[in-house]
Amino acid sequence: MSKNRFTRPALALGLALLAPLAAWSAVSVSVTIAPPPLPLYAQPPIPGDGYIWAPGYWAWDAATGDYIWVPGTWVMPPSVGLLWTPGYWAFIDGGYRWHRGYWGPHVGYYGGINYGYGYLGRGYEGGRWDRGHFRYNTAVNNIPTGRVHNVYRAPVPQRPAHPDSFNGGDSHWHAQPSPSQRRFEGGRHPEWPQAQQEHEHRALGTPEQRMGSNHGMPPTAATPRPGGFGEPQVERARTAPEMRTQPMRPGPSMRPAEAPHMQGAPRGAEPHGQPQRHPGGNRGDDHAH
């Protein structure tokens, strides 16, 4: 058996821990191979007022034994005043555990991972609620002129941008949650909107979104709205040189000129005792040509 295959116990654990999308749980799956690096992509323009950006992520599909990219998208929150906390993978006790994203009155812990577009590893710099209306920071969002009027422009902190999609282990991300963040993550949260649930289901049912098919470059990296896989404004994964030539759409490192910093370090041997990385390699190698 190939060393890149999952063990039967790990697959069984993943199947047992999978939960329905409507039933939120802090940890929904655990596997033994690291999730692929985060792809580079441009943010589609906001479709209208009230939407909040939810960054893309690699989801584990036990049915195919592969990671599948769920595109970033603009989502209408379940109710006024709620914010999105992205999900994250964490390397714990020899396995990679997925912590599902959730809605709540403030943004919680998401592994310290820099997902871009306002999600820099802690909190959210992309906007805020103001007297029942969401105001958008145009410094980190793609807001076409005239489409949304509740806007402002504020500089955001500059953070290192690495392609690692998980916390811990040999990742660059090692931030730990505070006690209050742990309590908030483990508390009760509203169910995802139906459109957001269907968006993830659509990705899981699209073979081209699988890591084994796209090798870390998903053809649908981001959509203008949940489920909009075939819409003209869908964004594909891009190489670092392509990101540099994009118009001013703040990406994972805030400015297209900084996109090369998203590439991973040169490939090297895995640290002793670390699980096998996903076959597909470091994103720095994927984008080197």
Side-chain angles (χ1 to χ4, degrees):
M1 180 180 293
S2 169
K3 65 180 181 179
N4 290 331
R5 299 298 298 172
F6 288 83
T7 63
R8 289 183 181 273
L11 286 174
L13 178 59
L15 288 167
L17 290 176
L18 281 175
L21 284 175
W24 186 91
S25 60
V27 180
S28 57
V29 67
S30 178
V31 295
T32 58
I33 294 178
L38 295 172
L40 289 166
Y41 59 87
Q43 185 189 60
I46 190 171
D49 191 27
Y51 286 82
I52 292 179
W53 180 250
Y57 55 93
W58 289 105
W60 170 248
D61 180 28
T64 60
D66 201 359
Y67 283 100
I68 293 184
W69 179 255
V70 179
T73 193
W74 290 98
V75 183
M76 289 294 290
S79 62
V80 171
L82 295 183
L83 298 167
W84 177 245
T85 297
Y88 66 96
W89 289 95
F91 178 72
I92 302 173
D93 297 332
Y96 295 88
R97 302 182 185 181
W98 174 241
H99 296 246
R100 292 184 63 77
Y102 55 88
W103 294 94
H106 59 267
V107 177
Y109 172 78
Y110 50 94
I113 297 167
N114 187 351
Y115 284 110
Y117 302 111
Y119 296 98
L120 311 182
R122 182 181 180 88
Y124 179 53
E125 303 287 343
R128 60 178 182 266
W129 287 100
D130 183 7
R131 291 173 289 184
H133 295 280
F134 197 79
R135 299 188 64 204
Y136 300 89
N137 185 359
T138 59
V140 291
N141 286 307
N142 185 3
I143 310 292
T145 302
R147 184 169 298 183
V148 174
H149 299 288
N150 295 317
V151 299
Y152 65 97
R153 187 172 185 86
V156 299
Q158 296 295 301
R159 287 203 64 208
H162 302 289
D164 302 324
S165 60
F166 64 94
N167 175 285
D170 64 337
S171 167
H172 288 85
W173 312 121
H174 290 273
Q176 295 300 306
S178 66
S180 62
Q181 287 176 325
R182 290 185 186 276
R183 289 192 297 271
F184 184 55
E185 180 177 346
R188 297 182 62 85
H189 300 279
E191 294 184 353
W192 292 12
Q194 186 66 29
Q196 189 177 17
Q197 297 180 34
E198 293 174 354
H199 181 74
E200 185 178 73
H201 283 150
R202 177 85 178 268
L204 292 174
T206 304
E208 294 79 12
Q209 295 296 104
R210 298 175 187 168
M211 174 64 183
S213 298
N214 60 53
H215 307 292
M217 296 288 286
T220 303
T223 65
R225 56 175 51 84
F229 283 64
E231 295 190 18
Q233 293 175 320
V234 160
E235 292 285 354
R236 60 179 172 80
R238 298 175 182 269
T239 62
E242 287 180 298
M243 290 298 288
R244 287 199 299 272
T245 62
Q246 285 293 299
M248 285 304 292
R249 293 184 184 179
S253 55
M254 269 60 70
R255 293 195 298 268
E258 295 179 350
H261 298 299
M262 287 295 294
Q263 298 184 69
R267 188 198 302 261
E270 295 294 329
H272 179 70
Q274 294 293 327
Q276 176 69 36
R277 281 189 179 271
H278 194 288
N282 185 292
R283 191 178 54 170
D285 298 326
D286 293 341
H287 295 343
H289 302 289

